[in-house]
Amino acid sequence: MKYNSPYSTASWGQMAKDWEEGIDYSRMSKERLARAQAAVRNAGLGAVLCFNFDNIRYVTATHIGEWARDKFFRYALCPVEGSPFLWDPAPPAKRISSPWIKDNVAAPITTMQGAIPPTLGVQQDFAKQIKKALVHYGIANQPLGIDLMELGMLRALEEEGIEVVDGQQAMLDAREVKTPDEIELLKMAAGMVDATYVDIARAIRPGTKENELVAIANDRLFRMGSERVECINSVSGRRGRPHSHTFSDRMIQPGDMIFLDIMHSYNGYRTCYYRTFICGQPNNHQIDAYETASKWLAASMDMVKPGVTPDEVASVWPDAHEFGYKNEDEAFLLQYGHGVGMSLWERPIFSKRFKGQTRPLKEGMVFALETWKGSNDGSGAARIEEEVVVTKTGCEIITNYPSDHLISCGLPGCEVVA
């Protein structure tokens, strides 16, 4: 079905140029830090110590590659006032590549997720390092927010006399509304998926395997400049009902419904973007499943505008038992919405499982809304997702690959024939 919200695409190219305005990374970095420090202040904290990779990047505008995302040996202090401080495994390189942090970068002290035995006392050395920094900033007697960290290092901070509290809420507050440059990056990231779905549609045919579609998506995205392809859900035929949330080596066959979710990152900004296809021509049950999922999605997008709550948006979706699930716990993620920015599950969250999401939507929020409906004949399922930007009067859709009808491909006479 046709959606009532307008579509929007990126305005600028990916390269910075001297003759055309584009993304101003310096402006974006300064605005992000200002929002983070305002959130730290509003939370009554002296600082937030960030281990979360996305929070580190948000406040310091630095990166070291996705290989380090789960290593816990890189962290940054975002003080309520003053420049942030980064502890990074490559300080000499950072002083060259990121000169804005050159006077505030040092080597980290880490237990390597416990690989360094606690008996060596590394966690105590870490705590002393942080205490010294807090004294330097004049905030040693104020609460220190933490987003996430190893338990032994947390205990060492407490033993050093530091009051440790939840800092992730402040960081999520800061990241809730996107700046214009962030929104442009999110549109670029979505545009890369628009192009990827063209390749996917051409590749769908009898004999193609789910994992081959995953390979095609990875290749296309990295060639366009993606820095991380987190996951490609590729689900076909009866594997889609119930939703398996992963891909396999299943071979696509005529009459199969195929849905994919493409999650990748461009310059730190993410996508979560489902589309559904049919190999050949759909039967009536499959058409009904797709049209129903599309109707539910349209209803939720029609609700979006500043002042409306996530609970109100989710209220237009069906209850779990109406689409074949026992309860909202087991149906979680099927009729669902989540903030999209430097990570995939930022605020706001839309779900009937977690009622009480009453913080009103704001202009400049970016989030994804997604629906699922199984085909009544058990042959598959439809899964559709749109990313939207909240505007003054409603929302704009930034995921532009067609979704107003079920796209047939892979056999002669279909819309897309490879």
Side-chain angles (χ1 to χ4, degrees):
M1 64 180 297
K2 297 288 185 182
Y3 300 133
N4 295 319
S5 301
Y7 287 81
S8 179
T9 58
S11 300
W12 311 110
Q14 293 176 305
M15 293 175 57
K17 298 177 283 292
D18 65 345
W19 56 269
E20 181 179 63
E21 183 181 12
I23 293 170
D24 188 330
Y25 288 100
S26 177
R27 174 180 62 198
M28 182 179 72
S29 300
K30 291 173 183 175
E31 290 178 345
R32 292 190 313 201
L33 177 59
R35 291 187 178 198
Q37 290 182 316
V40 171
R41 183 177 297 105
N42 290 338
L45 308 177
V48 172
L49 182 62
C50 303
F51 280 83
N52 175 278
F53 230 54
D54 302 318
N55 286 338
I56 295 170
R57 190 168 185 173
Y58 192 85
V59 301
T60 68
T62 63
H63 190 41
I64 199 172
E66 291 299 328
W67 65 273
R69 179 169 286 273
D70 63 348
K71 302 298 188 293
F72 275 69
F73 67 167
R74 188 170 184 264
Y75 43 95
L77 188 72
C78 179
V80 70
E81 292 181 357
S83 300
F85 200 100
L86 173 68
W87 289 272
D88 186 274
K94 283 294 180 294
R95 294 185 186 108
I96 297 171
S97 66
S98 308
W100 53 87
I101 201 82
K102 67 178 180 180
D103 296 325
N104 280 32
V105 61
I109 301 174
T110 173
T111 64
M112 306 284 287
Q113 293 197 51
I116 305 298
T119 54
L120 295 184
V122 172
Q123 61 271 27
Q124 280 78 31
D125 294 339
F126 159 79
K128 288 179 171 60
Q129 180 193 60
I130 299 304
K131 182 64 174 287
K132 182 179 178 180
L134 297 179
V135 171
H136 168 76
Y137 283 102
I139 53 176
N141 295 323
Q142 299 182 45
L144 174 65
I146 304 289
D147 51 11
L148 57 101
M149 71 184 310
E150 298 172 46
L151 186 59
M153 298 175 82
L154 171 64
R155 294 289 181 254
L157 289 177
E158 293 173 334
E159 290 169 5
E160 197 64 34
I162 299 170
E163 181 186 356
V164 179
V165 299
D166 181 7
Q168 178 68 352
Q169 299 306 309
M171 293 305 303
L172 289 173
D173 287 345
R175 292 163 50 183
E176 189 175 58
V177 175
K178 275 57 180 180
T179 72
D181 291 303
E182 290 183 286
I183 292 172
E184 184 72 0
L185 280 170
L186 286 161
K187 289 179 179 179
M188 287 183 180
M192 294 162 71
V193 181
D194 297 339
T196 301
Y197 272 128
V198 174
D199 290 355
I200 294 293
R202 289 172 176 163
I204 290 174
R205 66 183 66 150
T208 301
K209 295 182 179 180
E210 292 175 1
N211 57 288
E212 290 183 85
L213 300 181
V214 174
I216 289 167
N218 275 269
D219 178 76
R220 180 63 161 148
L221 289 165
F222 281 124
R223 288 181 185 276
M224 286 190 291
S226 178
E227 63 187 25
R228 180 191 187 201
V229 181
E230 178 182 354
C231 179
I232 309 292
N233 277 335
S234 178
V235 181
S236 65
R238 294 180 180 273
R239 289 192 66 248
R241 188 177 189 267
H243 192 345
S244 58
H245 295 284
T246 189
F247 68 90
S248 77
D249 62 346
R250 184 184 182 276
M251 183 177 66
I252 293 168
Q253 298 155 67
D256 279 347
M257 298 180 83
I258 308 103
F259 60 78
L260 298 99
D261 187 12
I262 298 181
M263 293 167 269
H264 87 107
S265 171
Y266 174 68
N267 271 337
Y269 287 86
R270 309 284 287 284
T271 64
C272 191
Y273 184 169
Y274 271 102
R275 284 295 183 267
T276 300
F277 305 87
I278 184 82
C279 181
Q281 298 296 337
N283 64 36
N284 290 335
H285 295 290
Q286 294 167 334
I287 293 172
D288 179 69
Y290 193 89
E291 290 298 319
T292 301
S294 183
K295 178 185 68 175
W296 293 340
L297 185 56
S300 61
M301 287 193 292
D302 287 345
M303 290 289 293
V304 173
K305 63 180 179 180
V308 172
T309 69
D311 274 4
E312 291 175 313
V313 174
S315 71
V316 304
W317 290 332
D319 294 335
H321 66 86
E322 296 179 62
F323 52 92
Y325 277 74
K326 182 168 61 175
N327 53 48
E328 298 299 336
D329 293 350
E330 293 197 0
F332 184 53
L333 304 181
L334 297 185
Q335 325 302 339
Y336 181 58
H338 55 92
V340 177
M342 298 192 84
S343 66
L344 279 187
W345 287 5
E346 298 184 353
R347 291 181 184 146
I349 297 294
F350 306 79
S351 172
K352 284 193 170 182
R353 182 183 185 186
F354 297 113
K355 294 182 178 179
Q357 305 280 337
T358 58
R359 290 175 58 150
L361 303 182
K362 303 173 186 175
E363 183 181 0
M365 284 183 170
V366 180
F367 47 80
L369 299 171
E370 48 191 295
T371 56
W372 174 95
K373 176 65 171 68
S375 176
N376 286 338
D377 65 353
S379 63
R383 183 71 155 154
I384 318 171
E385 182 172 22
E386 305 290 1
E387 295 177 29
V388 302
V389 179
V390 181
T391 61
K392 285 183 172 62
T393 57
C395 68
E396 293 179 341
I397 303 170
I398 64 172
T399 38
N400 284 276
Y401 191 86
S403 63
D404 58 350
H405 64 290
L406 181 57
I407 294 179
S408 301
C409 48
L411 290 173
C414 297
E415 293 179 54
V416 181
V417 179

